[in-house]
Amino acid sequence: MKKNILFAALLCLPLILMAHKDDKNPKYLLGAVPEVDGVVTFQKNFSVTDKNEQQIYDVMLAYIKNSLIGNAIQFPKSEYTRIISEEKENSTIVARVDEYMTFHKMFFSLDRTRFRYLLSASVKGQKVSLIITQISYYYNEDMDGKNGVHYRAEEWITDKAAVNKKGTKLYPRSGKFRRLTVDRTQEIFEGFMDALSTMEVEEQVITKKRKGIVEE
């Protein structure tokens, strides 16, 4: 029994050391989680130079349906994920997404949370605006998806809630939510940019080099 506990501890050691290192990474410290009027709001603006507004809208809609909603938690586990509106006349798409965010996964344990957010994607001409807000978490749920703990981003991952007073490191519990949220929102924005730079009408081809994308 003691050997098993020691073995498990040794397996977790690299993850613990990595987490401690990231706790002091400037990428996740002060200013990493932006707020607009007290609400955690991640935004990304860029231009697409080689597609018109309708083409951009169609690509964004396909990416949301296939890569975000398609990989999210589905009913009956979650009734949260859905496209709220598709306003073709305004070239705007709004969706709610409920997906799993995994802190670490081992053969004997799984530490994860539900990551819920509101996504707005709009295009005007060739200018794209992406906004992720209304972020919340449902953590430590049981096998039936019940008895978990709810956290709002505003009370859990802001500078005040997740960074120490000196601004030099993250708090252990809320810090892991903050790190993965910063990484995941960036990943979503990067996914849109990759899709818009490489998606063709008949097929999707992802390449390392983006074409026709100008960040703002």
Side-chain angles (χ1 to χ4, degrees), residues 1-213:
M1 182 65 178
K2 290 182 178 179
K3 288 183 178 180
N4 290 337
I5 294 174
L6 178 60
F7 178 66
L10 290 174
L11 286 177
C12 291
L13 186 58
L15 293 173
I16 295 172
L17 292 175
M18 184 178 297
H20 283 310
K21 181 179 179 181
D22 283 340
D23 282 345
K24 298 181 180 180
N25 188 332
K27 174 183 177 181
Y28 305 111
L29 296 180
L30 296 176
V33 175
E35 297 180 62
V36 177
D37 296 328
V39 178
V40 171
T41 305
F42 292 87
Q43 302 182 61
K44 184 71 174 179
N45 299 303
F46 57 89
S47 298
V48 183
T49 61
D50 60 348
K51 292 179 177 65
N52 60 41
E53 186 171 303
Q54 184 61 53
Q55 290 173 318
I56 296 170
Y57 178 88
D58 291 341
V59 170
M60 292 195 306
L61 181 60
Y63 179 75
I64 291 171
K65 287 182 175 180
N66 298 332
S67 298
L68 296 182
I69 291 181
N71 291 320
I73 305 170
Q74 302 297 328
F75 182 84
K77 265 286 189 180
S78 174
E79 298 180 19
Y80 194 87
T81 298
R82 66 188 185 278
I83 290 181
I84 296 176
S85 66
E86 299 178 36
E87 299 180 10
K88 291 186 178 181
E89 63 278 9
N90 297 323
S91 298
T92 299
I93 308 158
V94 180
R96 289 192 178 277
V97 182
D98 182 0
E99 62 186 31
Y100 282 121
M101 177 182 286
T102 302
F103 302 117
H104 72 259
K105 181 179 180 180
M106 307 291 286
F107 71 88
F108 57 86
S109 69
L110 175 63
D111 186 16
R112 69 181 181 183
T113 185
R114 291 194 188 206
F115 175 51
R116 295 168 169 169
Y117 56 91
L118 182 75
L119 168 71
S120 174
S122 62
V123 54
K124 186 173 183 180
Q126 294 181 312
K127 293 184 177 296
V128 175
S129 175
L130 304 174
I131 300 175
I132 294 176
T133 190
Q134 294 187 23
I135 295 171
S136 65
Y137 311 91
Y138 185 57
Y139 183 57
N140 208 27
E141 63 185 290
D142 57 27
M143 294 296 292
D144 296 324
K146 300 178 181 179
N147 302 312
V149 181
H150 290 276
Y151 297 109
R152 292 173 60 249
E154 289 74 23
E155 64 186 5
W156 198 234
I157 67 164
T158 59
D159 287 353
K160 182 178 179 180
V163 185
N164 70 349
K165 292 182 179 180
K166 293 182 178 180
T168 56
K169 66 178 181 179
L170 303 180
Y171 293 129
R173 290 192 63 204
S174 56
K176 65 182 183 180
F177 289 80
R178 181 179 171 104
R179 286 195 305 270
L180 264 66
T181 301
V182 170
D183 289 343
R184 179 55 181 152
T185 52
Q186 181 62 36
E187 182 181 42
I188 292 170
F189 293 154
E190 295 279 336
F192 271 100
M193 295 173 71
D194 283 335
L196 285 164
S197 63
T198 60
M199 189 177 289
E200 299 176 354
V201 176
E202 297 295 334
E203 61 183 2
Q204 297 180 17
V205 181
I206 301 300
T207 62
K208 292 183 178 180
K209 184 177 180 181
R210 292 198 182 104
K211 298 179 180 178
I213 300 291

